[in-house]
Amino acid sequence: MVTSWRQVYGLQCMAVYGHQEFAFGDHVALHEDMVSALLERFGLDPHPTVR
């Protein structure tokens, strides 16, 4: 759980403070990929209505 929290918190901090702008114009795709990977790690599937 700590590893997952670190990923979520780190990505959000990087997005808020603009540390991803050099590599990603829009951080949404990176966030969605991370969430998908975390759900898979926990053996969960995303809800069908969530993109």
Side-chain angles (χ1 to χ4, degrees):
M1 187 64 195
V2 172
T3 300
S4 299
W5 172 250
R6 180 191 67 201
Q7 285 183 264
V8 171
Y9 184 76
L11 186 63
Q12 292 305 312
C13 287
M14 289 175 65
V16 167
Y17 293 111
H19 297 293
Q20 297 173 330
E21 292 177 2
F22 71 94
F24 301 98
D26 183 14
H27 66 277
V28 174
L30 183 60
H31 178 78
E32 290 174 352
D33 182 65
M34 178 198 59
V35 170
S36 294
L38 291 174
L39 287 172
E40 184 177 321
R41 176 182 288 174
F42 291 118
L44 301 170
D45 294 321
H47 192 273
T49 61
V50 177
R51 60 180 182 123

Coordinates of all heavy atoms in Angstrom, one line a residue:
M1 N 0.8 -1.2 0.0 CA 0.0 0.0 0.0 C 0.9 1.3 0.0 O 0.5 2.2 -0.7 CB -0.9 0.0 1.2 CG -1.9 1.1 1.3 SD -3.0 0.9 -0.1 CE -3.8 2.5 -0.1
V2 N 2.0 1.2 0.7 CA 2.8 2.4 0.8 C 3.4 2.7 -0.6 O 3.5 3.8 -1.0 CB 4.0 2.2 1.8 CG1 5.0 3.3 1.8 CG2 3.3 2.1 3.2
T3 N 3.8 1.6 -1.3 CA 4.3 1.8 -2.7 C 3.3 2.4 -3.6 O 3.6 3.4 -4.3 CB 4.8 0.5 -3.2 OG1 5.8 -0.1 -2.4 CG2 5.3 0.6 -4.6
S4 N 2.1 2.0 -3.5 CA 1.0 2.6 -4.3 C 0.8 4.0 -3.9 O 0.6 4.9 -4.8 CB -0.3 1.8 -4.1 OG -0.1 0.4 -4.6
W5 N 0.7 4.3 -2.6 CA 0.5 5.7 -2.2 C 1.6 6.6 -2.7 O 1.4 7.7 -3.1 CB 0.4 5.8 -0.7 CG 0.4 7.2 -0.2 CD1 1.4 7.8 0.5 CD2 -0.6 8.1 -0.4 NE1 1.0 9.1 0.8 CE2 -0.2 9.3 0.2 CE3 -1.9 8.1 -1.0 CZ2 -1.0 10.5 0.2 CZ3 -2.7 9.2 -1.0 CH2 -2.2 10.4 -0.4
R6 N 2.9 6.1 -2.6 CA 4.0 6.9 -3.1 C 3.8 7.2 -4.6 O 4.1 8.3 -5.0 CB 5.3 6.1 -2.9 CG 6.5 6.8 -3.3 CD 7.7 5.9 -3.4 NE 7.5 4.9 -4.4 CZ 8.2 3.7 -4.4 NH1 9.0 3.4 -3.5 NH2 7.9 2.9 -5.4
Q7 N 3.4 6.3 -5.4 CA 3.2 6.5 -6.8 C 2.1 7.6 -7.0 O 2.3 8.5 -7.8 CB 2.8 5.3 -7.5 CG 4.0 4.3 -7.7 CD 3.6 3.1 -8.5 OE1 3.3 2.1 -8.0 NE2 3.6 3.3 -9.8
V8 N 1.0 7.4 -6.4 CA -0.1 8.4 -6.6 C 0.3 9.8 -6.1 O 0.1 10.8 -6.8 CB -1.4 7.9 -5.8 CG1 -2.4 9.0 -5.8 CG2 -1.9 6.6 -6.4
Y9 N 0.8 9.9 -4.9 CA 1.2 11.1 -4.3 C 2.3 11.8 -5.1 O 2.3 13.0 -5.4 CB 1.7 10.9 -2.9 CG 2.0 12.2 -2.2 CD1 1.0 13.1 -1.7 CD2 3.4 12.6 -2.0 CE1 1.3 14.2 -1.0 CE2 3.7 13.8 -1.3 CZ 2.7 14.6 -0.9 OH 3.0 15.8 -0.2
G10 N 3.3 11.0 -5.5 CA 4.4 11.6 -6.3 C 4.0 12.1 -7.7 O 4.4 13.2 -8.1
L11 N 3.1 11.4 -8.3 CA 2.6 11.8 -9.6 C 1.8 13.1 -9.5 O 1.9 14.0 -10.3 CB 1.8 10.7 -10.3 CG 1.3 11.0 -11.7 CD1 2.5 11.1 -12.7 CD2 0.5 9.9 -12.2
Q12 N 0.9 13.1 -8.5 CA 0.1 14.3 -8.3 C 1.0 15.5 -7.9 O 0.7 16.6 -8.5 CB -0.9 14.1 -7.2 CG -2.0 13.1 -7.6 CD -2.7 13.4 -8.8 OE1 -3.1 14.5 -9.0 NE2 -2.8 12.5 -9.7
C13 N 2.0 15.4 -7.1 CA 2.9 16.5 -6.8 C 3.6 17.0 -8.0 O 3.7 18.2 -8.2 CB 3.9 16.1 -5.7 SG 3.1 15.9 -4.0
M14 N 4.1 16.0 -8.8 CA 4.8 16.4 -10.0 C 3.9 17.2 -10.9 O 4.3 18.2 -11.6 CB 5.4 15.2 -10.7 CG 6.5 14.6 -9.9 SD 7.2 13.1 -10.6 CE 7.8 13.7 -12.2
A15 N 2.6 16.8 -11.0 CA 1.7 17.5 -11.9 C 1.3 18.9 -11.4 O 1.3 19.8 -12.1 CB 0.4 16.6 -12.0
V16 N 1.1 19.0 -10.1 CA 0.7 20.2 -9.5 C 1.8 21.3 -9.6 O 1.6 22.4 -9.9 CB 0.3 20.1 -8.0 CG1 0.3 21.4 -7.3 CG2 -1.0 19.3 -7.9
Y17 N 3.1 20.8 -9.4 CA 4.2 21.8 -9.5 C 4.8 21.9 -10.8 O 5.9 22.5 -11.0 CB 5.2 21.4 -8.4 CG 4.7 21.6 -7.0 CD1 4.4 20.5 -6.2 CD2 4.4 22.9 -6.5 CE1 3.9 20.7 -4.9 CE2 3.8 23.1 -5.3 CZ 3.6 22.0 -4.5 OH 3.1 22.2 -3.2
G18 N 4.3 21.3 -11.8 CA 4.7 21.4 -13.2 C 6.0 20.7 -13.6 O 6.7 21.0 -14.5
H19 N 6.4 19.7 -12.8 CA 7.6 19.0 -13.1 C 7.5 18.0 -14.2 O 8.5 17.3 -14.6 CB 8.1 18.2 -11.8 CG 8.4 19.2 -10.7 ND1 9.5 20.0 -10.7 CD2 7.8 19.4 -9.5 CE1 9.5 20.7 -9.6 NE2 8.5 20.4 -8.8
Q20 N 6.3 17.8 -14.8 CA 6.2 16.8 -15.9 C 6.0 17.6 -17.2 O 6.0 16.9 -18.2 CB 4.9 16.0 -15.6 CG 5.0 15.1 -14.5 CD 3.6 14.5 -14.2 OE1 2.6 15.0 -14.5 NE2 3.7 13.3 -13.6
E21 N 5.9 18.9 -17.2 CA 5.6 19.6 -18.4 C 6.6 19.4 -19.5 O 6.3 19.5 -20.7 CB 5.4 21.1 -18.1 CG 4.1 21.3 -17.3 CD 3.9 22.7 -16.9 OE1 4.8 23.6 -17.2 OE2 3.0 23.0 -16.1
F22 N 7.9 19.2 -19.1 CA 8.9 19.0 -20.1 C 8.7 17.7 -20.9 O 9.1 17.6 -22.1 CB 10.3 19.0 -19.5 CG 10.6 17.8 -18.7 CD1 11.3 16.7 -19.3 CD2 10.2 17.6 -17.4 CE1 11.6 15.5 -18.6 CE2 10.5 16.5 -16.7 CZ 11.2 15.4 -17.3
A23 N 8.1 16.7 -20.3 CA 7.9 15.4 -21.0 C 6.4 15.2 -21.4 O 6.2 14.5 -22.4 CB 8.3 14.3 -20.1
F24 N 5.5 15.7 -20.7 CA 4.1 15.5 -20.9 C 3.3 16.8 -20.9 O 3.3 17.5 -19.9 CB 3.4 14.6 -19.8 CG 4.1 13.3 -19.7 CD1 5.0 13.0 -18.7 CD2 3.8 12.2 -20.6 CE1 5.7 11.8 -18.6 CE2 4.4 11.0 -20.5 CZ 5.3 10.8 -19.5
G25 N 2.7 17.1 -22.1 CA 1.9 18.3 -22.1 C 0.6 18.1 -21.3 O 0.1 19.0 -20.6
D26 N 0.1 16.9 -21.3 CA -1.1 16.6 -20.5 C -0.8 15.3 -19.7 O -0.5 14.3 -20.2 CB -2.3 16.3 -21.5 CG -3.6 16.0 -20.8 OD1 -3.7 16.3 -19.6 OD2 -4.5 15.6 -21.4
H27 N -0.9 15.4 -18.4 CA -0.5 14.3 -17.5 C -1.7 13.3 -17.3 O -1.5 12.3 -16.6 CB -0.1 14.9 -16.2 CG -1.1 15.5 -15.4 ND1 -1.5 16.8 -15.6 CD2 -1.9 15.1 -14.4 CE1 -2.4 17.2 -14.8 NE2 -2.8 16.1 -14.1
V28 N -2.8 13.5 -17.9 CA -4.0 12.7 -17.7 C -3.7 11.2 -18.2 O -4.0 10.3 -17.5 CB -5.2 13.2 -18.4 CG1 -6.4 12.3 -18.3 CG2 -5.6 14.6 -17.7
A29 N -3.1 11.1 -19.3 CA -2.8 9.7 -19.8 C -1.8 9.0 -18.9 O -2.0 7.8 -18.7 CB -2.2 9.8 -21.2
L30 N -0.8 9.7 -18.4 CA 0.1 9.1 -17.5 C -0.6 8.7 -16.2 O -0.4 7.6 -15.7 CB 1.2 10.0 -17.1 CG 2.3 9.5 -16.2 CD1 3.0 8.3 -16.8 CD2 3.4 10.6 -16.0
H31 N -1.5 9.5 -15.7 CA -2.3 9.2 -14.5 C -3.2 8.0 -14.7 O -3.2 7.1 -13.9 CB -3.1 10.4 -14.1 CG -4.0 10.1 -12.9 ND1 -3.5 10.2 -11.6 CD2 -5.3 9.9 -12.8 CE1 -4.5 9.9 -10.8 NE2 -5.6 9.7 -11.5
E32 N -3.9 7.9 -15.8 CA -4.7 6.8 -16.2 C -3.9 5.5 -16.3 O -4.4 4.4 -15.8 CB -5.5 7.1 -17.4 CG -6.6 8.1 -17.3 CD -7.2 8.5 -18.6 OE1 -6.8 8.0 -19.7 OE2 -8.2 9.3 -18.5
D33 N -2.8 5.5 -16.9 CA -1.9 4.4 -17.0 C -1.5 3.9 -15.6 O -1.5 2.7 -15.3 CB -0.7 4.7 -17.8 CG 0.2 3.4 -18.0 OD1 -0.3 2.5 -18.6 OD2 1.3 3.5 -17.5
M34 N -1.1 4.8 -14.7 CA -0.7 4.4 -13.3 C -1.9 3.8 -12.6 O -1.7 2.8 -11.9 CB -0.2 5.7 -12.6 CG 0.2 5.3 -11.2 SD 0.3 6.8 -10.1 CE -1.3 7.5 -10.2
V35 N -3.1 4.4 -12.7 CA -4.2 3.9 -12.0 C -4.5 2.5 -12.5 O -4.8 1.6 -11.7 CB -5.4 4.8 -12.1 CG1 -6.7 4.1 -11.6 CG2 -5.2 6.1 -11.3
S36 N -4.5 2.3 -13.8 CA -4.7 0.9 -14.3 C -3.7 -0.1 -13.8 O -4.1 -1.2 -13.4 CB -4.6 1.0 -15.9 OG -5.7 1.7 -16.4
A37 N -2.4 0.3 -13.7 CA -1.4 -0.6 -13.2 C -1.6 -0.9 -11.7 O -1.5 -2.1 -11.3 CB 0.0 0.0 -13.4
L38 N -2.0 0.1 -11.0 CA -2.3 -0.1 -9.5 C -3.5 -1.0 -9.3 O -3.5 -1.9 -8.5 CB -2.5 1.2 -8.8 CG -1.3 2.1 -8.7 CD1 -1.6 3.4 -8.1 CD2 -0.2 1.4 -7.9
L39 N -4.6 -0.8 -10.1 CA -5.7 -1.7 -10.0 C -5.3 -3.2 -10.3 O -5.8 -4.1 -9.6 CB -6.8 -1.2 -10.9 CG -7.6 0.0 -10.5 CD1 -8.5 0.5 -11.6 CD2 -8.3 -0.2 -9.2
E40 N -4.5 -3.3 -11.4 CA -4.1 -4.7 -11.8 C -3.3 -5.3 -10.6 O -3.4 -6.5 -10.3 CB -3.3 -4.6 -13.0 CG -2.9 -5.9 -13.6 CD -2.1 -5.8 -14.9 OE1 -2.5 -5.0 -15.7 OE2 -1.1 -6.6 -15.1
R41 N -2.4 -4.5 -10.0 CA -1.6 -5.0 -8.9 C -2.4 -5.6 -7.8 O -2.1 -6.6 -7.1 CB -0.7 -3.9 -8.4 CG 0.1 -4.3 -7.2 CD 0.9 -3.2 -6.6 NE 2.0 -2.9 -7.5 CZ 2.9 -1.9 -7.4 NH1 2.7 -1.1 -6.4 NH2 3.8 -1.8 -8.3
F42 N -3.6 -4.9 -7.5 CA -4.5 -5.4 -6.5 C -5.5 -6.4 -6.9 O -6.4 -6.8 -6.2 CB -5.2 -4.2 -5.8 CG -4.3 -3.3 -5.0 CD1 -4.1 -2.0 -5.4 CD2 -3.6 -3.8 -3.9 CE1 -3.2 -1.2 -4.7 CE2 -2.7 -3.0 -3.2 CZ -2.5 -1.7 -3.6
G43 N -5.4 -6.8 -8.2 CA -6.4 -7.8 -8.7 C -7.8 -7.2 -9.0 O -8.8 -7.9 -9.0
L44 N -7.8 -5.9 -9.3 CA -9.1 -5.3 -9.5 C -9.3 -4.8 -10.9 O -8.3 -4.6 -11.6 CB -9.3 -4.0 -8.6 CG -9.2 -4.3 -7.1 CD1 -9.1 -3.0 -6.3 CD2 -10.3 -5.1 -6.6
D45 N -10.5 -4.7 -11.4 CA -10.8 -4.1 -12.7 C -11.4 -2.8 -12.6 O -12.2 -2.6 -11.6 CB -11.7 -5.1 -13.5 CG -11.1 -6.4 -13.8 OD1 -9.9 -6.4 -14.1 OD2 -11.8 -7.4 -13.7
P46 N -11.1 -1.9 -13.5 CA -11.8 -0.6 -13.4 C -13.3 -0.7 -13.7 O -13.7 -1.6 -14.4 CB -11.1 0.3 -14.5 CG -10.5 -0.7 -15.4 CD -10.2 -1.9 -14.6
H47 N -14.1 0.1 -13.1 CA -15.6 0.1 -13.4 C -15.8 0.4 -14.9 O -15.1 1.2 -15.4 CB -16.2 1.2 -12.5 CG -17.7 1.1 -12.5 ND1 -18.5 1.6 -13.4 CD2 -18.5 0.4 -11.6 CE1 -19.8 1.3 -13.2 NE2 -19.8 0.6 -12.1
P48 N -16.7 -0.3 -15.5 CA -16.9 -0.1 -16.9 C -17.2 1.3 -17.4 O -16.9 1.7 -18.5 CB -18.1 -1.0 -17.3 CG -18.3 -1.9 -16.1 CD -17.6 -1.3 -14.9
T49 N -17.8 2.1 -16.5 CA -18.1 3.5 -16.9 C -17.0 4.5 -16.8 O -17.1 5.6 -17.2 CB -19.4 4.0 -16.2 OG1 -19.1 4.0 -14.8 CG2 -20.6 3.1 -16.4
V50 N -15.9 4.0 -16.1 CA -14.8 4.9 -15.9 C -13.8 4.7 -17.1 O -13.5 3.5 -17.4 CB -14.1 4.6 -14.6 CG1 -12.8 5.4 -14.4 CG2 -15.1 4.8 -13.4
R51 N -13.3 5.7 -17.6 CA -12.4 5.6 -18.8 C -11.0 5.3 -18.3 O -10.6 5.4 -17.3 CB -12.4 6.8 -19.7 CG -11.9 8.1 -19.0 CD -12.0 9.2 -19.9 NE -11.5 10.4 -19.2 CZ -10.5 11.1 -19.6 NH1 -9.9 10.8 -20.7 NH2 -10.1 12.1 -18.9

